[in-house]
């Protein structure tokens, strides 16, 4: 993933070429509220109400605080769209919590050069987990996702225990992925197919040679990896 996806930022994503983007507010203390009468007071309250909490779904993570407060911007446009449990693309139905392959500029170029209608699964496509689906109509459908990182995507300075690393390590296997808390909003037209990804606890050794699997989590905000299962 690395520089090919949106770059890491403390407060927001680079939104110059995306209709929707994610911002990350600071935690808000829970206080008693009263009825606000002026527009400015109501706007302040509605801004707080737009802040959502995304729980991190990975069960094997040893890294704490992977849950994130977030806001999808532009907030009004996002909230006005209808929320759905699934969407249909190319005759295939995709649900929340499904893993999907996502096309990008590199895979589109490869298709044009080879005249192939589908990209071969050679590590060029991105992989994401669907968290939320919203649409204004059948041609404007969007998904909020968690990105899966390939080991090669780990940026310089990533904390791996007491070490600082970059990219694939000797313990990473060929079909290994890393589930991150890096969120994004994508147009579902960029989805190129379903991806089968299993957690480490679901598969045995021989199956790992064939299936995409994950056993580590990546904290995108602080660039740190969780421990390998059984080593913490």
């Amino acid at each position: 993933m690395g520089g090919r996806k949106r770059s890491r930022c403390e407060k927001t994503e680079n939104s110059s070429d995306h209709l929707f983007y994610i911002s990350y507010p600071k935690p808000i203390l829970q206080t008693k509220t009263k009825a606000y009468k002026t527009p400015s007071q109501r706007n302040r309250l509605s801004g707080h109400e737009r802040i959502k909490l995304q729980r991190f779904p990975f069960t094997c993570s040893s890294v704490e605080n992977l849950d994130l407060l977030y806001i999808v911007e532009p907030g009004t446009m996002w909230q006005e769209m209808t929320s759905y449990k699934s969407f249909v693309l190319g005759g295939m139905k995709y649900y929340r919590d499904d893993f999907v392959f996502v096309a990008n500029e590199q895979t589109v170029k490869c298709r044009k050069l080879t005249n192939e209608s589908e990209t071969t699964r050679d590590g060029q496509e991105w992989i994401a987990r669907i968290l939320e689906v919203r649409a204004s109509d059948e041609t404007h459908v969007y998904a909020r996702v968690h990105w899966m990182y390939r080991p090669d995507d780990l940026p310089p300075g990533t904390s791996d225990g007491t070490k600082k690393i970059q990219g694939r390590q000797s313990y990473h296997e060929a079909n290994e992925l890393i589930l991150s808390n890096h969120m994004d909003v994508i147009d579902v037209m960029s989805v190129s197919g379903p991806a089968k990804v299993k957690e480490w606890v679901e598969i045995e050794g021989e199956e790992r040679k064939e299936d995409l699997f994950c056993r580590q989590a990546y904290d995108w905000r602080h660039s740190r990896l969780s421990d390998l299962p059984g080593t913490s």
Side-chain angles (χ1 to χ4, degrees), residues 1-3 8 149-159 164-169 218-220 222-225:
M1 185 174 63
R8 186 163 68 93
Y149 277 55
R150 290 185 171 86
D152 304 284
D153 298 328
L154 294 172
T158 296
S159 296
K164 297 292 185 180
I165 65 166
Q166 175 183 358
R168 183 176 295 274
Q169 302 300 296
Y218 177 65
D219 183 354
W220 170 73
H222 301 97
S223 194
R224 56 179 178 169
L225 274 175

Side-chain angles (χ1 to χ4, degrees), residues 144-183:
R144 182 171 57 85
V145 301
H146 268 152
W147 287 118
M148 302 294 293
Y149 277 55
R150 290 185 171 86
D152 304 284
D153 298 328
L154 294 172
T158 296
S159 296
D160 185 7
T162 59
K163 300 183 298 181
K164 297 292 185 180
I165 65 166
Q166 175 183 358
R168 183 176 295 274
Q169 302 300 296
S170 58
Y171 61 79
H172 286 131
E173 300 187 25
N175 293 333
E176 187 162 356
L177 300 172
I178 301 165
L179 180 58
S180 79
N181 60 353
H182 183 176
M183 279 187 285

Side-chain angles (χ1 to χ4, degrees), residues 40-228:
S40 61
Q41 289 174 328
R42 286 197 297 270
N43 287 340
R44 283 200 299 271
L45 180 61
S46 64
H48 289 180
E49 290 174 342
R50 289 191 297 116
I51 298 174
K52 306 296 182 182
L53 174 64
Q54 177 59 55
R55 298 287 186 184
F56 193 69
F58 195 53
T59 58
C60 298
S61 175
S62 61
V63 176
E64 297 180 354
N65 300 322
L66 287 174
D67 299 342
L68 286 179
L69 292 173
Y70 73 94
I71 300 174
V72 179
E73 303 283 8
T76 300
M77 186 184 301
W78 180 255
Q79 293 297 329
E80 286 180 348
M81 292 194 297
T82 304
S83 178
Y84 294 93
K85 295 181 179 179
S86 63
F87 64 90
V88 177
L89 182 66
M92 180 76 67
K93 196 167 189 177
Y94 300 90
Y95 294 88
R96 289 185 302 216
D97 293 328
D98 281 353
F99 292 95
V100 293
F101 288 103
V102 180
N104 53 64
E105 290 183 6
Q106 186 174 357
T107 58
V108 171
K109 287 179 181 178
C110 287
R111 289 180 187 178
K112 290 180 179 179
L113 289 173
T114 59
N115 292 320
E116 292 181 354
S117 59
E118 295 186 4
T119 303
T120 55
R121 310 302 186 196
D122 57 0
Q124 293 182 346
E125 286 183 301
W126 297 334
I127 301 174
R129 184 174 189 170
I130 299 170
L131 301 172
E132 182 181 9
V133 178
R134 286 184 179 267
S136 57
D137 55 52
E138 63 181 12
T139 60
H140 296 86
V141 186
Y142 303 91
R144 182 171 57 85
V145 301
H146 268 152
W147 287 118
M148 302 294 293
Y149 277 55
R150 290 185 171 86
D152 304 284
D153 298 328
L154 294 172
T158 296
S159 296
D160 185 7
T162 59
K163 300 183 298 181
K164 297 292 185 180
I165 65 166
Q166 175 183 358
R168 183 176 295 274
Q169 302 300 296
S170 58
Y171 61 79
H172 286 131
E173 300 187 25
N175 293 333
E176 187 162 356
L177 300 172
I178 301 165
L179 180 58
S180 79
N181 60 353
H182 183 176
M183 279 187 285
D184 210 343
V185 176
I186 63 172
D187 188 321
V188 302
M189 291 301 294
S190 63
V191 172
S192 59
K196 294 183 179 180
V197 181
K198 296 182 179 180
E199 284 193 34
W200 176 272
V201 294
E202 297 178 320
I203 55 179
E204 300 297 332
E206 286 302 312
E207 292 183 69
R208 290 200 296 272
K209 296 179 181 179
E210 303 295 334
D211 295 328
L212 292 171
F213 74 95
C214 58
R215 55 178 169 169
Q216 283 181 293
Y218 177 65
D219 183 354
W220 170 73
R221 300 293 306 281
H222 301 97
S223 194
R224 56 179 178 169
L225 274 175
S226 65
D227 296 328
L228 288 171

